[in-house]
Amino acid sequence: MLFPTVSFGVFFLCVFIGFWYVFRRSAERRVFLTAASFLFYAFWDWRFCSLLLFSIAASWGFGLLIGREKEHFRRKLFLVLSIILNLLLLGFFKYYNFFAESANGLLGTLAAAGSAAAQGGGQSAFTFPALAVLMPVGISFYTFKSMSYVFDVYLCELPAVRSFLDVALYVSFFPQVASGPIVHAVDFIPQIEGVVSLGAEPGSKPIEASKAFGLFLSGLLKKMVFANFLSTLFVDPVLFDPALYNSVEVLLAAIGYSVVIYCDFSGYSDMAIAVALLLGFKTPANFNRPYMAFSVTEFWKRWHITFSSWLKNYLYFSMGGSRFGKVRTLFALFFTMLLGGLWHGAALTFIVWGVMQGVALAIERGFSYGNAKHGNRLVATLQIAITFAFVTLSWIVFRAPNLDSVLVWFSSLGNFSNKITLLSPLVIALLACGLAMHAIPESVRASFRSLYLALPAVFRGVVIAVFLALLSVVSMSGVAPFIYFQF
């Protein structure tokens, strides 16, 4: 069930009415919202609801064990066991076939070498079977949320939660379960009691409806117009076979993918934050004009912020962070991003992407560059351009099905003799606007929001209706899945 669909609109309307106006007691609301979240997940594949429930139960149980223990060794033991369990769960569905194929290749090589040495023939006696493993939607996201809860209890950021429903609601919360944001337990669970205890009478609940509608419309615009049009009309055809297109189109398709992945993912985040806000839950921002970053370090403070903060708080700091000298810090940065690449999937392209990010962060830290924006505007602009070029190149690796496709893209940059066939005024306008939206200062955005909020409620409703009408006219039929659903 995708956000920009009628079916989700009907589903959410029922949830909204039930949560605020039918159920009035806090216990009822906990049960109702948790049940609605599982129902939402069941629309994807009901068979994996048991997997989600198991992940929740395990984290809840380990949280209680860690919270009850005072002895440091046992607390750490329970933490390690919970990490192993979650990683085994995640690893089986995401990485089994990758490691099975790699192991079989290695076993075959060793067997061939042994046979040659013995002057005999034959193959490896044992091979790992290939399994048709169906990827559960959002498994990376809800596994990281489950781990966040246990980490926060272990680090004494959050007391162990006795209510199973509270942990279940946090992990399965339907606006975030499929593709984030990865809200930390310490940021979400303390909100539950306050939200479910609010009165059900109109005007008694501090819902920021206007802000929520604005965010949702922003997400719709990014996804339905920029991401869908650019990917369908230009980016996907060119990157599918770059050798067929002119070098200008090959280069602009890479830039276009940078726009597409931002508009697709930040559009989903905007809508997820808006839906949560309409239910009373506040979610940290997940994007902050990332292509205005002047360094890769700064980029990761602006891109997928909840994910990068998860990596920093629970992985980078656990490796020592910057507490044990520069060399240890550089290794911690590198391996954090390498594991961040593996989180996206079992493919060499994700590993190379993680290595690129890790090396860039380590170099910037080693030369004390990452946090130093130059005072000269021209030099600062050059910093932003270089960072964007690096990020765009890394997105090509990230998107590619294999490393050979990356080499094909590079070689296609010399296709000057091919005719330009797909680059249209509409594509150029979408590219320009998709990049220009990053340059709008926050003060200007705040002014537009204030102007919108100053309008009478009737006029705000008219603005929303006109926007939706125009969107229905210009948008493509159907809704393409969000890019990050595959993770």
Side-chain angles (χ1 to χ4, degrees):
M1 189 189 301
L2 299 173
F3 284 161
T5 58
V6 174
S7 58
F8 177 78
V10 173
F11 168 80
F12 180 70
L13 181 62
C14 294
V15 172
F16 183 86
I17 294 173
F19 184 75
W20 288 121
Y21 298 105
V22 176
F23 299 100
R24 297 172 180 268
R25 296 179 181 178
S26 60
E28 293 174 342
R29 287 179 170 174
R30 281 178 165 91
V31 173
F32 174 73
L33 199 51
T34 304
S37 296
F38 270 85
L39 177 62
F40 176 83
Y41 194 76
F43 276 105
W44 300 105
D45 195 323
W46 62 269
R47 295 171 296 177
F48 290 124
C49 286
S50 58
L51 189 68
L52 175 60
L53 185 62
F54 174 78
S55 177
I56 293 167
S59 297
W60 173 72
F62 278 116
L64 288 179
L65 291 173
I66 292 172
R68 186 180 63 185
E69 281 292 339
K70 302 298 181 184
E71 204 273 320
H72 178 69
F73 174 78
R74 291 180 180 175
R75 285 171 59 86
K76 179 163 283 190
L77 175 63
F78 290 136
L79 173 67
V80 171
L81 289 175
S82 73
I83 293 172
I84 291 173
L85 182 63
N86 276 295
L87 291 182
L88 284 175
L89 186 71
L90 184 64
F92 174 75
F93 286 97
K94 294 196 71 169
Y95 310 114
Y96 171 80
N97 281 333
F98 175 79
F99 286 114
E101 291 174 6
S102 301
N104 288 340
L106 178 61
L107 290 172
T109 301
L110 293 176
S115 299
Q119 294 184 349
Q123 296 180 343
S124 173
F126 174 79
T127 57
F128 290 93
L131 301 177
V133 179
L134 183 64
M135 179 74 71
V137 171
I139 186 172
S140 297
F141 293 92
Y142 69 69
T143 300
F144 266 36
K145 290 179 76 176
S146 295
M147 294 173 69
S148 170
Y149 166 68
V150 179
F151 275 125
D152 284 346
V153 173
Y154 175 79
L155 296 171
C156 299
E157 297 286 339
L158 183 74
V161 179
R162 299 187 64 84
S163 169
F164 177 79
L165 275 177
D166 282 2
V167 178
L169 176 56
Y170 160 64
V171 176
S172 66
F173 189 47
F174 72 88
Q176 303 160 359
V177 70
S179 196
I182 309 173
V183 182
H184 297 189
V186 70
D187 294 324
F188 186 93
I189 292 179
Q191 295 187 60
I192 294 176
E193 182 60 37
V195 172
V196 300
S197 299
L198 290 172
E201 296 76 19
S204 64
K205 48 198 173 299
I207 297 178
E208 300 178 60
S210 295
K211 180 180 179 181
F213 286 134
L215 278 170
F216 199 87
L217 295 180
S218 168
L220 279 177
L221 180 65
K222 290 177 183 177
K223 171 61 179 173
M224 302 296 288
V225 176
F226 288 95
N228 284 6
F229 271 93
L230 267 178
S231 59
T232 303
L233 298 179
F234 184 63
V235 173
D236 288 350
V238 174
L239 294 184
F240 179 76
D241 192 353
L244 299 178
Y245 298 92
N246 184 275
S247 55
V248 173
E249 291 176 308
V250 173
L251 178 61
L252 289 181
I255 297 173
Y257 185 68
S258 294
V259 175
V260 167
I261 194 170
Y262 166 75
C263 289
D264 189 280
F265 194 17
S266 72
Y268 179 92
S269 294
D270 286 348
M271 287 185 271
I273 293 170
V275 171
L277 195 58
L278 288 172
L279 294 172
F281 292 92
K282 295 184 178 180
T283 307
N286 209 26
F287 292 87
N288 179 22
R289 301 192 298 154
Y291 296 148
M292 290 298 292
F294 55 85
S295 66
V296 180
T297 303
E298 179 72 9
F299 173 80
W300 280 105
K301 294 178 181 178
R302 295 168 173 264
W303 176 272
H304 201 351
I305 299 169
T306 57
F307 173 66
S308 58
S309 64
W310 196 101
L311 292 177
K312 180 182 72 174
N313 293 343
Y314 304 130
L315 196 55
Y316 171 70
F317 286 155
S318 68
M319 294 182 186
S322 57
R323 293 173 294 173
F324 301 104
K326 180 169 285 189
V327 174
R328 178 79 172 267
T329 299
L330 300 184
F331 274 104
L333 283 170
F334 175 79
F335 283 108
T336 296
M337 294 313 300
L338 174 61
L339 293 173
L342 274 172
W343 174 84
H344 287 86
L348 286 176
T349 50
F350 293 133
I351 295 173
V352 172
W353 177 82
V355 167
M356 291 175 67
Q357 304 300 321
V359 169
L361 291 175
I363 291 174
E364 290 183 354
R365 178 63 66 90
F367 289 94
S368 301
Y369 172 80
N371 297 311
K373 184 177 181 179
H374 202 279
N376 183 283
R377 182 171 296 182
L378 181 62
V379 177
T381 302
L382 182 61
Q383 286 180 304
I384 293 171
I386 292 173
T387 302
F388 178 72
F390 172 80
V391 170
T392 296
L393 178 61
S394 71
W395 286 142
I396 289 296
V397 177
F398 181 88
R399 184 192 184 279
N402 49 60
L403 294 179
D404 289 339
S405 298
V406 179
L407 297 178
V408 171
W409 181 82
F410 272 107
S411 64
S412 299
L413 290 174
N415 295 344
F416 296 105
S417 60
N418 291 357
K419 292 183 179 180
I420 294 177
T421 56
L422 292 183
L423 192 60
S424 65
L426 175 61
V427 168
I428 294 173
L430 290 171
L431 276 171
C433 293
L435 293 174
M437 67 174 68
H438 288 76
I440 301 175
E442 183 56 37
S443 58
V444 175
R445 297 168 186 255
S447 298
F448 276 107
R449 284 195 294 267
S450 300
L451 182 63
Y452 170 74
L453 293 176
L455 294 173
V458 175
F459 286 100
R460 292 202 298 269
V462 171
V463 170
I464 293 173
V466 170
F467 177 87
L468 292 175
L470 291 174
L471 190 64
S472 66
V473 171
V474 302
S475 62
M476 295 180 172
S477 60
V479 181
F482 290 90
I483 291 173
Y484 262 69
F485 276 6
Q486 63 185 296
F487 305 124

